[in-house]
């Protein structure tokens, strides 16, 4: 006996298992999608809970206002966060000085001057630069950039802020270049053509048309680069040293927030000691800094976006 | 009467052309500088480490003596780590992407999840290490095992995988779905039999690139408490282990100059692994790049 198509359809509609699957899958997938939200909640809760424990032992005011970071002292350990923040800002400052001019110049070159062939070569190479693990950059800073700097400026120590700062800058160049280039390429060609037809040179088009129009994207890329530089860990752990200092010295050993977390994790700070909880307090401070930067970047690219 | 003084125009134009040239040179120079940095970096590492590369380097365990130091435990450890990270992060990532692209209604919850993903991508890796230390190592008592480190890494690269999978799913043309629905397929049938097969090259490319980030990450492993000197190979996911970047970090931070060479050799191995993964990604992208 042959079943008709209608009967087949009716039969398949009756299948209970199929109905259940169609109902269950969205729920299952929603649970999967909520993992990313749970991760954020997990990070925030972890940091807050352990940081609160830290503040039951070290007064909040000492942490926020203190300018001495001496966690390993046998008696009278001091936990003033500022030396670590200053260390982080030194690295970030140098990185930005290196990365912003080069990154934005590269973006202008790629979007305004370069031929398609050049772009086809340069962009993947920049991607490779972005894919190099940070541990490799750290090794490069320690074994190449520092000795080279030392041969020009003998007063620079083995561990210093300048060399890792420069290398962190090199690390964020691809990010600033490619995000800025994206912003510049999204400026409509008609505006550019209009300016060229009025007799502008390519530089005038770039400087007076493209860059102002893409400014929101460019600033956002710089702020994201800043956030990456603040959170960068391995380069500073290897090449910047481990001396938290509250001064303006760039030539000697310093310590950043990230490098402190690594230093403690590497050693055997027993679970439950004040030092153990201090890495969460430092991590929380770091998290707040990068979070502020990321939100600022998002706000910038939304607030100043020109719609065409 | 002449309306345009040609002389004047030419003089002014010349100046502007010169400025254009100067800046073109400057922009080119800056781009070349960035590329030069990569060349110097690669040249330095290869020239430093190539001498130490040998079959023994791949088959020896770590050692106090630089000439005997090998990378076996770290290489095998990294492979174990990937064996945990790849399925975990791809399942979670693709699942989330399917939900966000196919099921989620445009609204507050969806845009909240979306915003959360992009914020998560900006959290420093060392903070993910703190999360892993508290949740996986301590609360779930996984210790410094492959599983604990693997879960931490999976969460770290999850945002990257979700975003690339979303893009891949979004690029599947509407007509394919409509045709599938038109033939009477249910939503899930359409996703499994039509959308995913069409989106898989994009998903794989994005996932491999994310995994190659995970294989080079060091900071979360240090915070989670992964040891360096390991004289045995792990036999299961609950065993402790060491990984390539950890081993390189340890060698780099040793004061003896000989260990710098060993570290460079380790970096070459890591870079070859990365190169291999990236070529697979590029190959998949080119081979299956169907433009609808």
């Amino acid at each position: 006996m042959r079943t008709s198509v209608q009967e087949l359809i009716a039969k398949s509609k009756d299948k209970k298992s199929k109905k259940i699957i169609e109902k269950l899958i969205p729920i299952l997938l929603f649970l999967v999608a909520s993992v990313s939200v749970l991760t954020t909640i997990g990070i925030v809760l972890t940091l807050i809970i352990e940081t609160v424990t830290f503040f039951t032992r070290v007064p909040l005011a000492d942490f926020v206002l203190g300018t001495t970071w001496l966690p390993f002292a046998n008696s009278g350990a001091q936990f003033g966060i500022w030396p670590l923040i200053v260390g982080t800002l030194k690295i970030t400052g140098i990185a930005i000085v290196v990365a912003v001019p080069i990154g934005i110049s590269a973006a202008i070159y790629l979007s305004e001057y370069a031929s398609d062939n050049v772009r086809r070569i340069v962009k993947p190479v920049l991607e490779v630069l972005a894919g190099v693990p940070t541990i490799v950059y750290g090794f490069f800073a320690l074994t190449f950039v520092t000795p080279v700097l030392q041969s020009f400026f003998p007063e620079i120590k083995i561990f210093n802020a300048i060399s890792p700062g420069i290398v962190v800058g090199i690390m964020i160049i691809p990010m600033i270049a490619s995000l800025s280039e994206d912003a510049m390429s999204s400026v409509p060609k008609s505006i550019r053509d209009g300016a060229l037809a009025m007799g502008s040179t390519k530089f005038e088009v770039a400087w007076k048309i493209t860059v102002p129009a893409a400014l929101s994207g460019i600033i956002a890329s710089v702020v994201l680069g800043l956030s990456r530089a603040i959170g960068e860990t391995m380069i500073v752990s290897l090449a910047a040293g481990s001396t938290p200092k509250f001064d303006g010295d760039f030539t000697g050993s310093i310590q950043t927030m990230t490098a402190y977390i690594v230093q403690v994790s590497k050693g055997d700070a027993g679970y439950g000691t004040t030092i153990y909880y201090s890495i969460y307090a430092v991590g929380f401070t770091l998290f707040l800094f990068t979070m502020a930067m990321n939100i600022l970047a998002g706000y910038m690219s939304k607030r100043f976006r020109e719609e065409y | 009467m002449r309306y345009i003084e040609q002389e004047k125009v030419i003089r002014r134009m010349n100046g502007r052309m010169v400025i254009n040239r100067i800046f073109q040179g400057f922009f080119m120079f800056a781009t070349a500088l960035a590329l030069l940095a990569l060349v110097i970096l690669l040249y330095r590492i290869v020239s430093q480490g190539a001498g130490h590369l040998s079959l023994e380097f791949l088959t020896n365990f770590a050692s106090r003596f630089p000439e005997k130091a090998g990378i076996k435990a770290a290489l095998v450890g990294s492979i174990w780590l990937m064996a945990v990270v790849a399925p975990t992060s791809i399942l979670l990532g693709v699942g989330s992407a399917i939900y966000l692209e196919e099921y989620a209604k445009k609204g507050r919850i969806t845009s909240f999840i979306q915003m959360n993903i992009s914020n998560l991508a900006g959290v420093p890796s060392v903070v993910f290490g703190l999360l892993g230390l508290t949740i996986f190592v301590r609360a779930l008592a996984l210790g410094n095992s492959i599983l604990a480190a693997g879960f931490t890494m999976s969460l770290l690269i999850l945002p990257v995988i979700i975003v690339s999978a979303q893009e891949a799913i979004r690029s599947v043309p509407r007509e394919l779905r409509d045709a599938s629905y038109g033939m009477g397929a249910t939503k899930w049938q359409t996703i499994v039999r039509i959308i995913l097969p069409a989106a898989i090259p994009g998903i794989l490319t994005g996932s491999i690139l994310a995994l190659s980030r995970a294989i080079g990450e060091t900071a979360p492993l240090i915070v989670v408490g992964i040891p360096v000197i390991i004289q045995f190979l792990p036999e299961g996911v609950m065993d402790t282990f060491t990984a390539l970047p950890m081993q390189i970090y340890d060698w780099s931070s040793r004061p003896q100059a000989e260990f710098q060479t060993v570290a460079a050799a380790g970096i070459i191995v890591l870079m070859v692994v990365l190169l291999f993964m990236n070529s697979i990604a590029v190959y998949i992208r080119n081979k299956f790049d169907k433009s609808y």
Side-chain angles (χ1 to χ4, degrees), chain A residues 18 21-22 25-26 29-30 32-37 39-40 42-43 46-47 50 101-102 105-106 108-110 113 122 125-129 131-137 139-140 142-144 170 173 199-204 206-207 227 231 233-234 237-238 258 261-262 265-266 271 276 279-280 283-284 286-287 290-291 294-295, chain B residues 13 16-17 19-20 23-24 26-28 30-31 33-35 37-38 40-41 44-45 48 91-93 95-96 98-100 103 109 112-113 116-117 119-120 122-128 130-131 133-135 138 155 158 162 186-189 216-219 222-223 225 245 248-249 252-253 260-261 263-264 267 270-271 274 285:
Chain A
K18 213 159 126 190
I21 285 180
E22 290 295 327
I25 291 288
L29 289 178
F30 174 75
V32 169
S34 57
V35 169
S36 69
V37 178
T39 308
T40 309
I43 289 175
T46 303
L47 291 175
E50 307 286 46
I102 297 182
S105 297
I108 295 177
Y109 176 71
L110 287 174
Y113 289 97
V122 173
V125 177
L126 282 179
E127 271 176 46
V128 172
L129 205 55
V132 173
T134 57
I135 180 80
V136 179
Y137 280 116
F139 179 79
F140 184 62
L142 183 66
T143 63
F144 180 72
I170 295 175
I173 286 173
S200 303
T201 62
K202 276 191 170 179
F203 172 69
E204 286 161 349
W207 201 244
S227 153
T233 311
M234 294 325 294
S237 295
L238 270 176
T258 51
I261 297 175
V262 164
S265 307
K266 233 176 27 165
Y271 176 72
Y276 174 84
I279 63 174
Y280 288 92
F284 192 43
L286 176 70
F287 179 75
T290 54
M291 202 67 187
N294 294 337
I295 291 171
Chain B
M13 203 59 206
R16 287 165 58 197
M17 292 303 270
I19 292 177
N20 181 43
F23 273 95
Q24 177 169 11
F26 175 76
F27 294 144
M28 252 173 103
T31 312
L33 216 58
L35 303 186
L38 181 68
I40 296 177
L41 179 108
R44 276 289 301 183
I45 283 160
Q48 244 184 316
L91 267 180
L92 289 177
S96 305
I98 294 174
Y99 177 78
L100 288 170
Y103 285 101
I109 296 177
F112 172 74
I113 297 179
N116 171 69
I117 290 168
N119 277 331
L120 207 56
V123 174
S125 59
V126 72
V127 173
F128 276 93
L130 291 174
L131 173 79
L133 176 64
T134 316
I135 306 288
R138 298 230 185 272
L155 294 183
L158 187 57
I162 295 177
T186 62
K187 192 157 195 170
W188 181 238
Q189 284 173 329
E217 272 290 348
T218 325
I222 299 179
V223 177
I248 293 166
Y249 173 61
S252 310
S253 53
Q260 305 296 333
T261 322
I267 289 175
L270 176 62
M271 297 290 264
L274 284 176
R285 182 157 55 185

Side-chain angles (χ1 to χ4, degrees), chain A residues 92 96 100 104 172 175-176 179-180 215-230 289-301, chain B residues 122:
Chain A
T92 312
I96 286 300
V100 167
I104 294 179
I172 58 176
M175 181 177 182
I176 293 182
L179 289 178
S180 294
L215 198 61
S216 68
I218 296 173
I219 293 176
S221 80
V222 172
V223 178
L224 282 178
L226 260 172
S227 153
R228 271 286 284 282
I230 291 172
F289 267 74
T290 54
M291 202 67 187
M293 290 291 155
N294 294 337
I295 291 171
L296 186 67
Y299 174 77
M300 280 289 180
S301 59

